[in-house]
């Protein structure tokens, strides 16, 4: 099988080249980043591309975004994401948009060379091979997203302001409602997010974390350099 590798670690990149060639595959290119990935794929016509998630220059999500772009251009191209990380947002997009061979394996969980080569072969033949940990994290994210879908628009607005560290009074002022209405919305948020009352009083923090984990964001810091402080706790 004709294989292209895109991996920034020189040792791992060369190790993959040797491993795959010893197994009878033809490694047509081994790139340290995704800068020339598109033109190399066009020139070399690989049957499988193996990419890391985090590549130069930012080491964030260049690799998996490149995988998405490749699949958009070449839907039948087999792709194996081989990484230390589960990039949940793009991984979900990659899997959802996939109608061809696809793999997502975690480097630290590839414990056996023979198993890895078998996975490469299966992907090359058209299979989808996902590390169980990848599946578990994506399902966990989906459950969190489903909890957020229970909230009304007003409850979502209240939760976003909680995540910003606003007090009940500040939330009421921002939304032009009474503090009593804010308290009712917060109670509904806690119930819909399955956050039970406990002695620690940290439901407000847990709600904010749920908001962030589901894709919400915190605002920029205030001019003084600190984020707004949490007020009334529930």
């Amino acid at each position: 099988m004709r294989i292209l590798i895109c991996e920034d670690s020189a040792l791992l990149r060369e190790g993959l080249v040797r491993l795959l060639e010893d197994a009878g595959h033809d490694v047509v290119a081994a790139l340290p980043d995704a800068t020339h990935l598109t033109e190399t794929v066009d020139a070399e016509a690989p049957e499988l591309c193996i990419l890391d998630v985090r590549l130069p220059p930012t080491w964030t999500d260049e690799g998996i975004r490149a995988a998405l772009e490749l699949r958009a251009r070449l839907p039948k191209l087999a792709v194996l994401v081989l990484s230390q990380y589960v990039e949940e947002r793009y991984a979900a997009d990659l899997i959802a948009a996939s109608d061809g061979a696809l793999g997502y394996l975690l480097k630290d969980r590839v414990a056996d060379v023979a198993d890895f080569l078998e996975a490469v072969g299966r992907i090359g033949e058209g299979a989808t091979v996902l590390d169980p940990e990848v599946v578990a994290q994506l399902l966990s994210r989906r459950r969190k997203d489903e909890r957020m879908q229970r909230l009304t628009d007003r409850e979502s607005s209240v939760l976003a302001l909680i995540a910003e560290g606003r007090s009940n009074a500040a939330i009421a002022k921002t939304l032009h409602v009474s503090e009593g209405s804010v308290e009712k919305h917060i109670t509904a948020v806690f119930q819909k997010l399955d956050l039970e009352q406990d002695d620690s009083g940290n439901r407000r923090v847990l709600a904010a974390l749920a908001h962030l984990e589901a894709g919400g964001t915190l605002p920029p810091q205030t001019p003084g350099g600190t984020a707004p402080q949490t007020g009334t706790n529930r």
Side-chain angles (χ1 to χ4, degrees), residues 166-182:
R166 305 288 186 92
S167 67
N168 287 8
I171 293 173
K173 183 176 181 180
T174 299
L175 298 180
H176 306 290
V177 297
S178 69
E179 286 192 51
S181 293
V182 170

Side-chain angles (χ1 to χ4, degrees), residues 39-233:
E39 50 263 49
T40 305
V41 168
D42 290 342
E44 299 295 342
E47 298 167 273
L48 169 67
C49 287
I50 300 177
L51 303 98
D52 192 0
V53 166
R54 301 185 178 184
L55 294 169
T58 67
W59 283 276
T60 55
D61 54 18
E62 286 91 339
I64 197 162
R65 285 192 292 107
L68 277 166
E69 291 168 6
L70 284 176
R71 293 306 289 267
R73 291 179 60 248
L74 303 166
K76 299 304 180 184
L77 175 64
V79 170
L80 167 57
V81 176
L82 183 63
S83 181
Q84 290 178 298
Y85 313 96
V86 181
E87 177 49 64
E88 293 181 4
R89 174 186 171 189
Y90 291 113
D93 291 344
L94 185 63
I95 294 167
S98 177
D99 61 356
L102 176 68
Y104 198 130
L105 301 178
L106 299 179
K107 294 175 181 177
D108 292 343
R109 289 169 54 86
V110 178
D112 186 87
V113 169
D115 288 345
F116 172 72
L117 291 174
E118 180 188 10
V120 167
R122 290 171 58 202
I123 296 165
E125 293 172 357
T128 296
V129 180
L130 303 176
D131 188 294
E133 181 62 24
V134 173
V135 176
Q137 290 195 34
L138 293 180
L139 287 176
S140 176
R141 173 177 174 149
R142 181 177 178 180
R143 285 193 292 269
K144 292 168 186 171
D145 289 344
E146 288 174 347
R147 286 195 302 166
M148 292 299 148
Q149 292 172 10
R150 302 174 189 170
L151 305 183
T152 65
D153 289 344
R154 178 48 59 90
E155 289 163 357
S156 295
S157 298
V158 169
L159 177 55
L161 292 169
I162 289 174
E164 292 179 12
R166 305 288 186 92
S167 67
N168 287 8
I171 293 173
K173 183 176 181 180
T174 299
L175 298 180
H176 306 290
V177 297
S178 69
E179 286 192 51
S181 293
V182 170
E183 290 177 1
K184 290 179 181 178
H185 289 312
I186 292 175
T187 297
V189 167
F190 291 159
Q191 291 174 343
K192 292 180 180 181
L193 296 184
D194 302 323
L195 299 176
E196 300 294 336
Q197 179 69 57
D198 59 30
D199 294 335
S200 67
N202 65 355
R203 287 195 297 175
R204 203 175 182 98
V205 175
L206 293 175
L209 289 174
H211 168 73
L212 296 174
E213 289 172 347
T217 58
L218 285 174
Q221 289 187 332
T222 58
T226 59
Q229 298 300 306
T230 301
T232 304
N233 289 322

